[in-house]
Amino acid sequence: MRLVMIGTGYVGLVSGACFAHLGHDVTCLDIDETKINKLQKGISPIYEPGLEKLLKTNIEEKKLKFTSDVKQAIQDAEVCFLTLPTPSTDEGKAELSYILSAADQLADMMDEYKLIVIKSTVPPKTCHMLREHIHKRLESLNKHYNFDVVSNPEFLREGSAVYDFMNPDRIIIGADNESCFDQIKALYAPLHLDNSKLITMDTVSSEMTKYAANSMLATRISFMNELSGLCEKIGANIENVRVGIGSDQRIGHQFLRAGVGFGGSCFPKDIRALIASSKQYDYEMPILTAVESINRKQKKLLAQKIKSYFNSKGGLKGKTIAIWGISFKPETDDIREAPSIELIKELINQGASLRLYDPVAMNNAQLELSTLSNLKWCEDEYEASEGADAVALVTEWQQFKLTDLESILDQMSGKALFDGRNHYLEHDLREKGFEYFAIGMPTS
Ligand SMILES: NC(=O)c1ccc[n+]([C@@H]2O[C@H](COP(=O)([O-])OP(=O)(O)OC[C@H]3O[C@@H](n4cnc5c(N)ncnc54)[C@H](O)[C@@H]3O)[C@@H](O)[C@H]2O)c1
C-alpha cells in the first residue's frame, strides 16, 4: 500500500522505515527541511539502534522517500498516518494544533478517498473531533470525498523502537467500521502476527488504551519510588524488595525500578493530558495526580542527596561533579523531560562545576543547556571523572557497568558516587573505596 507518515520524528520515522521494510511504499513528510535533507542522504537525525541500516536499505530499494512537499505526499498516499507531536499545553492538556493543521492540509489536498490513521497519542474522542473537523473543511471547499479516521496508537519504546515495531506485543486498532479494521490489518499482515495480537475496538477505547498503558507503567515507577523513600527511613533495601515482589507472577519484574523518576516525551505529558481530560468531565483521578507529584519530587532527589553530602564539606560552591548519562533512558538521544536536566540546572545553581558525558545525547544536551556556564563536555566517563569531587550516575547506560571503577576513583578528587538508578551493587562499590549513595537503601 502507499503510505504517508505526516511527521517524521521518533514515531513517524521508525514506523515509516519499518512499514517500508514490510513492503509498503512509504513517504515520510516533515516541515523541518533540514531533517528531510539529512534523511534524503540516508542520515538519521535521531539515534535509534538498527534504524540507519533500515533507512539505507529501503531508500536504496526505493520503498522509502522523504519530502516536504505536502501536496505530492498526500495525493500519492492511500493511507495517511498522523505521527505529529502532541506536547503539553500550559494547563497540561494535549496540544492538538499540530494534528488540526495537518488535518486542514489533508482536506485541502484530498482528491480521492483517504484512510486517516492517528498514531500520535491523543485524548479520547480526538478521532470523532477530527472527523468532524475535516468534514467541515471539505464542505467549505465544496469537496465531496469520503474518508475515515481511525486510531492506531503506537507503543514502541525509544531505544528499542525498531525491534518493538517489528515484534509488537499487540496492535490496537480503533475504528467504527469493518472495512477500516481490514485495511489496517492488511498493513501489518507481513508481520504474520497471531490474530490475538490484533486487538480491535472503538476509537475512543483505543485512544484511552494508550493513555491507560502509559499511566499504568508510570504508576508502577512512582509506587516503587514512594516505597524507596520509606525503605531509606526504615533501613530496608528497595532492590531486595523489587526482586522479592517482582517474582510474584501477578506482579512481574518490569517497571519496578526505583530511581530519579521518569522522563521522556511520553509518560509525563500523557499523565498530565489524562488528568486534564478527566477534569473536563468533572472526574477526579487521585492516583494519577499522586503519580505525577511523586515523580516531580523524585526528580529533585539526587540533587538533594548531593547537596546534603556536601553540606558538611563547605557546600557545593566550587565543587566539581561528574554527570554520567543525560538521555532520559539508555539507548536513546532523547533528553525531553529527562531527570538529568533538572539535576544539572540545580547543581549549577548551587555553584558547582559539571563535567558531563553521555554516549549519544551530547548534541541534544549541548543545545538544551547552551545558556549555562561551568559545563565541560567530555569524551567519556573517565574524562568526566577527572578531578571530580563526586560522580552522579543519572542514566543507566550498560557501558557504565563495564567502567573500570578503580581507575575512576584514582583520578577523582573525592570518592562519592551517587547512583540515581541503582545501577551498581552497594557492597561492590564500598569495597572499591567509594562512598556510595543509591536510591531506597539504608545509608551506612
Ligand atoms: N517518542 C516515543 O517514544 C513515542 C511512542 C509512542 C507514541 N508517541 C506519540 O507519537 C507522537 C509523535 O511523537 P514523536 O516523539 O515522534 O514526536 P517528534 O517531536 O519526535 O516528531 C514530530 C515531527 O513532526 C514534525 N511536524 C510538526 N508539524 C508538522 C506538520 N504540519 N507536517 C509535517 N510534519 C510536522 C516535526 O517537525 C517533527 O519532526 C506524539 O503524540 C507522541 O506522544 C511517541
Side-chain angles (χ1 to χ4, degrees):
M1 282 167 117
R2 297 187 313 276
L3 321 181
V4 60
M5 314 308 293
I6 307 181
T8 307
Y10 283 87
V11 170
L13 181 56
V14 171
S15 41
C18 290
F19 273 132
H21 205 63
L22 296 182
H24 301 294
D25 289 310
V26 181
T27 301
C28 289
L29 172 70
D30 206 286
I31 44 171
D32 182 342
E33 289 187 11
T34 319
K35 189 181 261 190
I36 293 298
N37 288 339
K38 264 187 160 181
L39 282 163
Q40 283 168 339
K41 294 181 194 126
I43 305 166
S44 174
I46 55 168
Y47 174 81
E48 196 54 57
L51 181 60
E52 215 147 62
K53 187 163 170 258
L54 212 55
L55 293 178
K56 197 170 172 293
T57 322
N58 289 287
I59 293 170
E60 272 169 18
E61 288 178 9
K62 301 202 182 323
K63 303 299 290 173
L64 184 60
K65 290 188 297 206
F66 300 95
T67 186
S68 296
D69 180 346
V70 181
K71 184 172 183 199
Q72 189 75 47
I74 290 177
Q75 292 189 345
D76 281 353
E78 298 162 90
V79 185
C80 304
F81 278 91
L82 301 184
T83 44
L84 292 153
T86 48
S88 287
T89 65
D90 290 345
E91 306 102 70
K93 291 183 187 163
E95 172 65 78
L96 291 178
S97 59
Y98 296 91
I99 299 276
L100 288 171
S101 80
D104 288 342
Q105 289 181 326
L106 262 167
D108 296 351
M109 304 305 167
M110 206 184 278
D111 57 353
E112 59 177 354
Y113 168 85
K114 300 282 176 201
L115 177 62
I116 300 164
V117 187
I118 306 188
K119 217 173 218 329
S120 296
T121 306
V122 292
K125 291 201 172 170
T126 302
C127 281
H128 290 176
M129 182 272 284
L130 207 67
R131 201 172 296 144
E132 195 62 21
H133 184 89
I134 295 174
H135 185 70
K136 281 192 183 141
R137 181 97 176 179
L138 285 173
E139 254 182 9
S140 74
L141 297 166
N142 206 20
K143 287 187 176 184
H144 303 284
Y145 301 115
N146 283 333
F147 67 93
D148 282 296
V149 180
V150 307
S151 161
N152 174 219
E154 185 49 61
F155 293 94
L156 57 76
R157 296 163 299 175
E158 285 175 24
S160 55
V162 172
Y163 177 87
D164 291 345
F165 190 96
M166 295 298 193
N167 303 276
D169 287 341
R170 60 358 198 149
I171 306 280
I172 303 286
I173 313 169
D176 299 323
N177 68 63
E178 280 304 318
S179 124
C180 291
F181 288 132
D182 293 344
Q183 290 183 76
I184 302 288
K185 283 182 185 174
L187 286 176
Y188 291 100
L191 286 175
H192 302 294
L193 297 174
D194 191 283
N195 246 346
S196 62
K197 290 195 170 184
L198 293 159
I199 303 175
T200 58
M201 58 184 77
D202 60 281
T203 56
V204 185
S205 304
S206 165
E207 292 161 332
M208 188 64 149
T209 300
K210 173 65 193 178
Y211 280 109
N214 278 358
S215 301
M216 171 63 92
L217 296 173
T219 301
R220 286 171 69 104
I221 297 172
S222 275
F223 175 71
M224 291 307 284
N225 282 337
E226 184 174 68
L227 278 187
S228 74
L230 186 60
C231 283
E232 283 185 18
K233 291 203 182 293
I234 287 183
N237 185 326
I238 194 71
E239 282 304 295
N240 294 334
V241 176
R242 175 178 69 77
V243 174
I245 62 170
S247 312
D248 183 330
Q249 285 187 19
R250 294 168 304 175
I251 296 173
H253 289 285
Q254 301 228 38
F255 283 80
L256 288 187
R257 286 193 174 270
V260 286
F262 55 79
S265 65
C266 292
F267 286 7
K269 86 160 167 68
D270 292 347
I271 285 162
R272 286 193 291 267
L274 193 53
I275 295 172
S277 289
S278 74
K279 284 190 182 142
Q280 282 177 284
Y281 294 90
D282 226 355
Y283 185 76
E284 287 185 9
M285 301 198 83
I287 294 180
L288 278 194
T289 310
V291 166
E292 202 201 6
S293 87
I294 291 166
N295 197 52
R296 260 188 272 121
K297 195 168 134 210
Q298 204 71 13
K299 280 178 153 183
K300 300 187 193 308
L301 185 64
L302 210 56
Q304 279 160 4
K305 282 180 187 275
I306 297 173
K307 266 191 272 180
S308 81
Y309 173 80
F310 282 105
N311 262 347
S312 58
K313 297 175 170 55
L316 265 168
K317 202 166 170 48
K319 300 291 189 306
T320 301
I321 313 292
I323 304 288
W324 289 6
I326 302 171
S327 57
F328 85 93
K329 67 172 186 177
E331 297 298 333
T332 179
D333 59 354
D334 197 344
I335 57 162
R336 291 178 279 187
E337 301 209 32
S340 63
I341 302 297
E342 204 165 311
L343 171 73
I344 289 165
K345 289 182 177 166
E346 179 56 15
L347 294 178
I348 291 291
N349 209 18
Q350 296 289 324
S353 296
L354 305 185
R355 299 174 65 84
L356 309 104
Y357 169 68
D358 186 282
V360 300
M362 299 281 270
N363 288 346
N364 286 342
Q366 283 172 13
L367 281 175
E368 172 76 21
L369 301 168
S370 60
T371 55
L372 298 187
S373 44
N374 292 333
L375 302 182
K376 162 92 176 117
W377 303 96
C378 300
E379 287 292 311
D380 53 29
E381 68 270 38
Y382 296 95
E383 191 193 346
S385 316
E386 281 169 21
D389 294 289
V391 167
L393 183 151
V394 199
T395 316
E396 67 278 32
W397 283 93
Q398 199 52 33
Q399 77 175 60
F400 298 148
K401 278 259 161 90
L402 307 174
T403 302
D404 176 355
L405 293 168
E406 268 112 357
S407 22
I408 294 286
L409 192 58
D410 280 348
Q411 60 187 28
M412 286 172 65
S413 295
K415 32 177 151 166
L417 193 148
F418 295 87
D419 183 350
R421 300 291 182 179
N422 296 350
H423 201 45
Y424 297 120
L425 293 175
E426 188 185 8
H427 59 87
D428 247 23
L429 273 272
R430 289 196 199 284
E431 237 173 65
K432 288 187 167 65
F434 283 94
E435 288 183 74
Y436 180 70
F437 303 91
I439 310 289
M441 297 185 195
T443 345
S444 44

